[in-house]
Every structure is written in C-alpha cells, then in structure tokens.
Amino acid sequence: MRLPSLLRRTPFRLTLLFLALFVAAAGAILAYVYFASASEAQGRARADVEIELGALTAIHRTRGIDALNQALVERSIRGGPYLYLLTDTAGKTITGNITESPIDIDLSLPAGASDWETFRLTDTDAQGKVQRRRSIGVITTLAGGEHLFVGQDIGDIEAYLARLTQALWGAMALVMLLGLAGGLYISRRVEKSMAGLNRVVQSVQDGDLKVRAPVRHTGDELDELGQGLNTMLDRLEASMSSIRHAGDAIAHDLRSPLTRMRAKLEVALIDAEAGKIDGVDALGIALDEADHLLKTFNTVLAIARLQAGGAPDPKVMDASDLAADMAELYEPAAEDKDIDFSSEVEKGLMIEGNQPFLAQALANLIDNAIKYTPAGGAVKLRARRRSSGEIEYSVTDTGPGVPEEDRERVVQRFVRLDNSRTEPGSGLGLSLVTAVAEAHGGRVVLDEGPGAYGDFGPGLRVALVLPPASTGMSG
C-alpha cells in the first residue's frame, strides 16, 4: 500500500475504532448499572417479604391462628405494599386483602415449607384502567395445615426500571454522540499530523532533504514518529552532503596528481623521443604518482567499509603488544628525522577488535606526528588503561598542533589545514582513525600537546580510546 493512501485511511479507521471502544466501554458500564439496580431492587423486595412472613409466622407460632387472623385483618385495613391471604387446610379463604392466591396452593406441602414465585397481578388504577403489575410472593404451610401467602407488588420497581432503561438508552445515545465527536476530534488531529508527515515524505521523494516534519512537543507517538523522521533526515542530509563533499574533495585532491602524472608522462615521451632523458626514470615517477592515487582510493574504501559494517572479524587481543610493535617499527624513522621517539606501554591491556585496522590507525597517528614534528622535536606513544576502564592509545608530538576550532573538522575526509599543504598526503589519515575508533565502539580525542618550548609549536595529543574486552572472552 502506498503511504499517502495509508495516511488517508488511518484517521477514518481511528474514528471507527475509538467510537467502537468508547461505545463498548460505556455500554458495559450502563448494562452493569441496569442489572445491578434491578438485582438490588428485586433483592430488597424479596427481603422485605421474608421479614413480613417471618413476623406473621412468629405470631402464629406463639399466639395461634386467631392472633394471626387478627394481625392479617389489621394489616389489610392499614394498607401497604403487601398482599396477604390465609386459607384453611382445604384451601378455603380465611382472611386477606386478596381473594385468591396467585400461587397454586400445594396441599401436600409439608409444614414449614415455602414456595416462591414471581407473577402478574391484575389491578385497576384510579382511571379505571386495568393493569397487570409484576409481583413477588411466597406461600408457606403453617403447623396446623393452614396456608399463608405473603406477597409484594413490585410494579413500582418495574416502572422505575423502565424509566431507568429509557434513561440508559438516552445516555447511550449521548455516549455515541460524544464518542463520535471525540473520535472525529482525535482523527482530525491525527489526520493533520499525518498530512504533515505525508508532505515531508512527498518532498523527500521529490529530492528536498531540508524539509522537516512538524513537532507539536506533546510527547505522544506522532511526535516520536516526527522526531525520528527528522533525525533520519538529518543523518541522510549529512550523509548526502558528506558524499558530495567527498566527491568534490576527491576530484580536487586527485586532479593535481593526475595532471602531474600526465604531464610527466608527456614530457617523458617527448624527451625519450629526443633522447634527452631515460624514459624509465619518468615512468618510475609516474608509477609513484599512481601508487599515491591507489593508496587514496584504498583508504576511502576502507573508511566506507568500516562505517558500513563495523570492524570485520573482531578478536580479543593484547593492545600492549600492538603498541610495542608499532614503537619498534617507527623508532628508526623518527631517528632518521632527528626526532626523539619514546614509548610508555602498560601490560595486559586486552581489547576486542580487528588487529590490521587498529595497526593502520595507530600507524597513521605515529606517521602524522613524525611528519609534522620538526627536527629536534619529540614524539611519544603511550598505551594505558584509563580510570574509566577504557584502553587508550595516545600519540603526543611537539609539532605545530591543531587550533581548537579546527579539531572537529580535521577528522573529516580530505580536510587539510593550511600548515599541512606543503606536506604530502590526502587528508584521510585522521578520518581513517576516527572510522576505526567508531567501528570498535570507541572515539578519537584531540588535545593540546606538551606546550611550546624553544622553537617548537604547542604540539598535539591524539588519543584513540577503545572499550576493554568483555570478561570471559577469548581470542
């Protein structure tokens, strides 16, 4: 399904879903209110009848049938909600305020036994209208064989429940209207937010990477989606900008060596034809230029590989051994340039990573330090464990250093400061070190060097900080 179609359908579905859930919840509450009220009213009526029956049977038990008859006459004259009927053992009426029992009298019912029923009692109201009112009653057999019926007219309760039902239906209609209004309000907000997201997606599809999704700062899921989309677009725009910059930088940096190589080949061809120079020497120079180009391309590919897939084939290794090997390798090169090279390496620094890439990163740091440190200066390599537990390689020199405002920029691809333009290079050394650090879950930190002394510059300290190997891992 296309995204615009999905965005159009979502608000309508949300409206229906919200309405359905709202009505279902409200309906469940109203149904509970109805059944709870009906059950409570009928239970109270039955309890009242049981109390009245208990009082009458107590009179019969303590004072006899005549006293019970007298009590029924008094209650009938006084009036009230109760229905009374006392019959003899043959079922003939003795007294009561109704003429016959609404419940069939079971003459075989043993003494003390009771029979409950709900029934309709025919009645005539003040206007002469015949009504069948709902009633509840119980008939019990007395000790002498007589039958006592006690009931209660619950027509008022039924009328109350009918009014309650009408009120609940009205409430249900109001609930549906409120649910529909709430659903429409929410769907409109969702539709508005999704319309903004849709415009952003459409703009990105049209090639505009500067557009951003609106964020309402409400903290809801749509805001999280918008913020996530904006973060993705920020990274995408940065990546595209980096790609364009890298392309421009590659074209700029490779134009000069390619031009030189072509010129030298052309001069060599002319001079070789004239017999002025040995063509082999010119070809050797051109080969050096080609090697430099290949090195630049290989470095770019290595950075892209690290950024895309992380460090390949990581293994647990001793960072101390790698530092010691690199110190031994570069000490002669430093001596040739009259640079004091020293190293300080702690033992047992275990890390997890790809040794060739780490070696290349460390080689870049040492090579840069030797390259930019003037004769008579000093370069120091350290490998140590930081107080945080992280493992740190650091290379400190007494060269010209890097201004603080340029330290974030100098680790980017093809960035070369003005004071390094006279030195050979492509501006990829620190970029590769940064890519290696990030691929290993680490970071690169640039700080001031040991400070200016004599004729030397402030220097630079570059630290490659890596996490320690996980406990229990082995190579």
Side-chain angles (χ1 to χ4, degrees):
M1 179 182 296
R2 295 181 59 191
L3 184 59
S5 176
L6 176 62
L7 294 179
R8 283 194 299 269
R9 295 183 183 182
T10 299
F12 178 70
R13 292 177 177 175
L14 284 176
T15 301
L16 294 181
L17 178 61
F18 180 84
L19 180 59
L21 292 177
F22 193 71
V23 170
I29 294 174
L30 296 178
Y32 171 78
V33 170
Y34 173 80
F35 287 110
S37 300
S39 177
E40 172 67 19
Q42 293 180 7
R44 184 177 299 276
R46 178 164 179 153
D48 291 343
V49 171
E50 287 180 341
I51 292 173
E52 184 68 9
L53 177 65
L56 293 174
T57 53
I59 293 175
H60 176 268
R61 185 173 56 254
T62 58
R63 295 163 54 191
I65 189 67
D66 292 336
L68 174 60
N69 186 25
Q70 180 63 31
L72 290 176
V73 171
E74 293 175 356
R75 280 171 164 76
S76 298
I77 295 173
R78 186 169 62 239
Y82 295 106
L83 306 174
Y84 304 106
L85 181 65
L86 178 63
T87 60
D88 59 16
T89 56
K92 293 182 179 181
T93 300
I94 299 177
T95 189
N97 56 5
I98 56 176
T99 56
E100 60 180 11
S101 173
I103 303 176
D104 293 336
I105 299 175
D106 186 0
L107 299 179
S108 63
L109 197 67
S114 301
D115 185 13
W116 284 87
E117 280 192 23
T118 301
F119 53 90
R120 291 283 178 177
L121 184 66
T122 302
D123 188 21
T124 302
D125 60 13
Q127 288 77 25
K129 184 177 179 180
V130 177
Q131 296 180 333
R132 291 181 56 80
R133 298 170 62 86
R134 194 162 180 243
S135 305
I136 187 173
V138 59
I139 190 168
T140 185
T141 302
L142 301 176
E146 299 87 353
H147 297 88
L148 174 62
F149 169 82
V150 179
Q152 185 176 11
D153 182 358
I154 58 175
D156 292 339
I157 296 177
E158 190 175 41
Y160 161 74
L161 293 177
R163 292 192 299 273
L164 178 62
T165 301
Q166 292 178 352
L168 292 178
W169 277 114
M172 179 61 71
L174 180 61
V175 163
M176 292 183 68
L177 290 176
L178 291 176
L180 182 60
L184 289 174
Y185 172 72
I186 292 177
S187 67
R188 290 293 296 172
R189 294 191 62 185
V190 172
E191 184 178 11
K192 183 178 180 181
S193 299
M194 287 195 167
L197 296 178
N198 187 31
R199 287 192 296 271
V200 171
V201 172
Q202 189 63 46
S203 298
V204 173
Q205 289 177 349
D206 294 337
D208 183 7
L209 296 181
K210 295 188 177 298
V211 67
R212 294 295 181 268
V215 178
R216 298 168 298 157
H217 303 289
T218 58
D220 58 9
E221 291 78 3
L222 289 174
D223 258 14
E224 292 180 3
L225 178 60
Q227 291 170 352
L229 182 60
N230 290 341
T231 301
M232 180 188 70
L233 290 174
D234 289 339
R235 293 181 178 178
L236 180 60
E237 184 181 14
S239 298
M240 295 300 294
S241 177
S242 176
I243 291 173
R244 286 193 296 268
H245 174 72
D248 295 342
I250 289 175
H252 180 272
D253 277 53
L254 296 187
R255 180 176 58 186
S256 295
L258 283 172
T259 302
R260 287 196 305 267
M261 184 170 64
R262 184 186 184 284
K264 290 178 181 179
L265 287 174
E266 186 176 2
V267 170
L269 179 61
I270 295 173
D271 290 346
E273 290 178 350
K276 295 180 180 180
I277 65 167
D278 187 357
V280 175
D281 293 338
L283 289 175
I285 296 173
L287 184 61
D288 290 340
E289 294 289 341
D291 288 339
H292 175 70
L293 293 176
L294 288 174
K295 182 179 179 181
T296 299
F297 276 116
N298 289 334
T299 304
V300 172
L301 291 175
I303 293 174
R305 181 184 179 190
L306 287 169
Q307 291 177 339
D313 192 24
K315 294 182 180 179
V316 174
M317 53 176 285
D318 193 339
S320 306
D321 293 340
L322 178 59
D325 292 342
M326 299 304 294
E328 184 179 355
L329 178 64
Y330 276 91
E331 187 173 1
E335 291 179 354
D336 290 342
K337 196 177 175 182
D338 192 23
I339 293 175
D340 180 18
F341 185 90
S342 61
S343 62
E344 182 181 326
V345 180
E346 294 182 13
K347 298 295 184 182
L349 304 177
M350 305 306 295
I351 59 175
E352 182 186 2
N354 180 280
Q355 183 166 349
F357 275 113
L358 289 172
Q360 182 62 54
L362 201 53
N364 285 6
L365 294 180
I366 300 173
D367 186 68
N368 279 350
I370 294 175
K371 182 190 302 183
Y372 295 109
T373 300
V379 173
K380 184 171 185 177
L381 168 66
R382 293 187 65 191
R384 68 185 183 97
R385 186 184 302 276
R386 308 183 83 182
S387 59
S388 62
E390 296 172 302
I391 308 301
E392 176 189 277
Y393 290 116
S394 66
V395 177
T396 306
D397 62 58
T398 58
V402 175
E404 186 175 353
E405 62 270 16
D406 291 328
R407 290 175 188 169
E408 291 186 5
R409 189 171 64 91
V410 78
V411 298
Q412 299 174 5
R413 296 185 190 181
F414 300 104
V415 173
R416 303 187 68 192
L417 302 182
D418 293 338
N419 59 6
S420 66
R421 290 292 178 183
T422 58
E423 297 290 341
S426 59
L428 291 173
L430 287 179
S431 298
L432 178 62
V433 175
T434 302
V436 170
E438 292 175 351
H440 288 80
R443 63 190 185 279
V444 174
V445 181
L446 276 68
D447 293 316
E448 195 80 5
Y453 62 93
D455 296 330
F456 300 102
L460 180 67
R461 179 180 181 274
V462 184
L464 172 58
V465 184
L466 303 170
S470 302
T471 305
M473 296 193 64
S474 61

